[in-house]
Amino acid sequence: MNKIAIITTHPIQYYAPWFRYLAQENDISIKVFYLWTFGITQQIDQGFQQSIKWDIPLLSGYNYEFVPNHSPNPGTHHFWGFKNPSLLTKVQSYQPNIVLLMCYNYASIYNFIFRWDTRKIPLIFRGDSHRILPRTGLKEWARRQLISLIYRRFSACLYVGKANYNYYSYHGVSAENLFFSPHAVDNDRFFSQTQEAFKQAKLWQQELQIPEDHAVILFAGKFESKKRPLDLLQAFIQSNLPQVSLLFVGAGSLENELRSQAANHPSIYFAPFQNQSQMPRTYAVADLVVLPSYGAWETWGLAINEAMCLSRPVLVSNHVGCAQDLIHPNRNGLIFQAGNISALKTCLQQAFSNRETLKNWGEESRKIISNYSYVQATQGLKDAINSLKT
């Protein structure tokens, strides 16, 4: 039996179902150590700029413990957001034979990594960082040395996709210590709700007063600069697409500016933040889902996984971490150069030049995403564990 201690920041809607899946495996026993209660208690989300609490179960079906966090300003938005002095002793008392870390760039995790005796119990890391937008200079050199030093503490690393694999390689992790554990969402939840989601989407489109004969371009997420919703708005206006509407779903710091720029356009709509139970319907209303993010911050883009579960064609920038893995150009979507509004406009025009082709792209999305599930993620973890025994 592999007794695994999993350390992660807080309950996350994408990870909790995987933990439930792992708990059902015959050869694995897990306990998740959370460093913060965000997601299960009503708290302010920095990106959405509003108080939220996820409305799907995040703590059922597996063993877990909340490690007290003494940070005066808890959160993932800064290094000192996690100060959990009892983390080491809590994990030791569980007596695992493997520790899986899902993050490291916080005070508590650094303290744990460098105090943990890796000669007795190995550490495995699963992350999703990439270097799609490379940085240079002395500061980047120093950063590379530090991260490479951290990775030497891990006996194996799990990579979620091609860009993430290259990130590990850049920081000195050898190929024999890298194992594919793809980023995944709860595919089964979305698959099982597909039929009902499309029924709800028709009604929702009417409620939003989007014309019934209009196709819908969807942006769903935080209205913040790194997500580049303003790029999409401008590209949509310039594309001049007949019988197509643009729907922004979410909230954030750019909301007022988005609404101001959209004020005189009759085919741009807004809907508030949608909780997890409403996300299948949210994707179902779309004929194309767009993620135009810029920079190093969109490490994967799990919203794209969710959209593909609902058989949606997808359009992403080349800075989105999943682009190389999930988007097959002219097969299930398109990729454009991040920050290039003209290129984004061209892609929108191409996508809606043939509605039947667009529908076929969506069907292909569902086929592709079937290979990015908790089954494959778990197999990668097991492969890494088995490698430690040889």
Side-chain angles (χ1 to χ4, degrees):
M1 177 66 70
N2 297 302
K3 192 176 183 182
I4 308 173
I6 301 175
I7 301 174
T8 190
T9 54
H10 60 287
I12 296 173
Q13 67 270 30
Y14 309 117
Y15 292 165
W18 186 39
F19 298 155
R20 279 196 289 272
Y21 184 94
L22 289 174
Q24 296 171 2
E25 294 291 284
N26 294 328
D27 54 347
I28 289 176
S29 175
I30 70 166
K31 182 173 183 178
V32 181
F33 293 85
Y34 287 120
L35 309 184
W36 185 32
T37 59
F38 182 85
I40 59 161
T41 59
Q42 201 80 28
Q43 296 188 47
I44 297 293
D45 182 282
Q46 296 286 329
F48 284 119
Q49 294 193 340
Q50 66 184 62
S51 180
I52 67 170
K53 174 184 176 183
W54 300 124
D55 66 352
I56 59 172
L58 299 180
L59 298 176
S60 61
Y62 62 94
N63 190 13
Y64 67 89
E65 179 176 353
F66 283 96
V67 182
N69 184 8
H70 299 290
S71 172
N73 181 20
T76 58
H77 57 291
H78 68 121
F79 179 77
W80 297 105
F82 300 98
K83 294 177 69 176
N84 310 78
S86 61
L87 176 60
L88 185 69
T89 56
K90 294 278 189 183
V91 176
Q92 287 174 333
S93 66
Y94 176 59
Q95 297 183 326
N97 52 27
I98 294 162
V99 178
L100 170 63
L101 285 96
M102 309 287 283
C103 57
Y104 70 80
N105 200 26
Y106 302 103
S108 282
I109 308 297
Y110 275 107
N111 179 65
F112 178 89
I113 289 172
F114 288 107
R115 290 178 61 195
W116 187 258
D117 190 347
T118 57
R119 295 169 298 178
K120 294 181 179 179
I121 301 169
L123 299 177
I124 296 176
F125 180 70
R126 185 176 188 261
D128 57 8
S129 298
H130 60 63
R131 293 190 74 257
I132 293 173
L133 190 63
R135 290 175 285 193
T136 58
L138 185 60
K139 187 175 180 180
E140 171 60 19
W141 177 87
R143 187 172 180 271
R144 182 181 186 183
Q145 305 313 306
L146 175 60
I147 294 174
S148 298
L149 178 65
I150 292 166
Y151 283 154
R152 291 191 197 112
R153 300 287 293 167
F154 296 100
S155 299
C157 291
L158 309 180
Y159 67 95
V160 299
K162 295 174 183 176
N164 184 219
Y165 180 96
N166 293 335
Y167 182 86
Y168 285 127
S169 298
Y170 173 78
H171 291 100
V173 182
S174 60
E176 58 265 27
N177 291 332
L178 287 170
F179 301 88
F180 182 48
S181 177
H183 250 328
V185 299
D186 190 356
N187 288 5
D188 291 341
R189 177 168 80 90
F190 286 91
F191 290 162
S192 66
Q193 294 181 25
T194 297
Q195 188 173 359
E196 180 62 26
F198 279 101
K199 289 180 183 178
Q200 293 178 9
K202 287 184 179 180
L203 297 174
W204 194 40
Q205 184 166 341
Q206 293 174 8
E207 291 174 14
L208 294 170
Q209 299 183 342
I210 299 174
E212 187 177 350
D213 62 343
H214 273 216
V216 177
I217 298 168
L218 174 69
F219 175 99
K222 298 173 180 177
F223 300 161
E224 54 188 358
S225 58
K226 64 186 179 184
K227 297 282 188 179
R228 291 296 183 112
L230 289 165
D231 285 8
L232 176 57
L233 186 148
Q234 290 302 320
F236 173 73
I237 292 173
Q238 293 175 23
S239 64
N240 197 29
L241 297 168
Q243 293 184 297
V244 179
S245 290
L246 171 60
L247 173 60
F248 287 103
V249 177
S253 60
L254 294 178
E255 182 167 356
N256 289 339
E257 188 170 356
L258 281 166
R259 287 183 177 274
S260 176
Q261 292 193 24
N264 297 322
H265 198 288
S267 298
I268 300 177
Y269 299 82
F270 290 85
F273 164 81
Q274 303 291 296
N275 215 316
Q276 289 301 299
S277 64
Q278 296 295 335
M279 290 313 296
R281 178 193 72 171
T282 301
Y283 296 116
V285 82
D287 294 273
L288 178 69
V289 176
V290 184
L291 187 57
S293 304
Y294 186 98
W297 311 111
E298 197 70 75
T299 52
W300 182 261
L302 284 160
I304 295 300
N305 292 61
E306 293 177 335
M308 290 173 65
C309 285
L310 268 294
S311 302
R312 301 298 83 193
V314 285
L315 169 58
V316 306
S317 82
N318 62 341
H319 288 181
V320 174
C322 70
Q324 299 176 54
D325 303 88
L326 298 186
I327 288 75
H328 300 200
N330 295 303
R331 183 176 152 196
N332 76 311
L334 294 168
I335 302 169
F336 71 96
Q337 183 181 5
N340 188 329
I341 294 174
S342 177
L344 176 51
K345 177 197 74 172
T346 300
C347 284
L348 292 176
Q349 291 171 333
Q350 180 182 343
F352 286 95
S353 64
N354 188 316
R355 299 293 177 87
E356 189 62 31
T357 297
L358 195 63
K359 183 180 178 181
N360 292 338
W361 285 2
E363 293 171 357
E364 192 64 28
S365 278
R366 178 134 173 180
K367 295 176 185 176
I368 293 169
I369 207 62
S370 296
N371 292 317
Y372 288 77
S373 73
Y374 296 139
V375 175
Q376 287 86 5
T378 300
Q379 187 58 54
L381 174 60
K382 289 184 177 182
D383 290 344
I385 292 171
N386 290 334
S387 75
L388 304 180
K389 300 175 181 178
T390 57

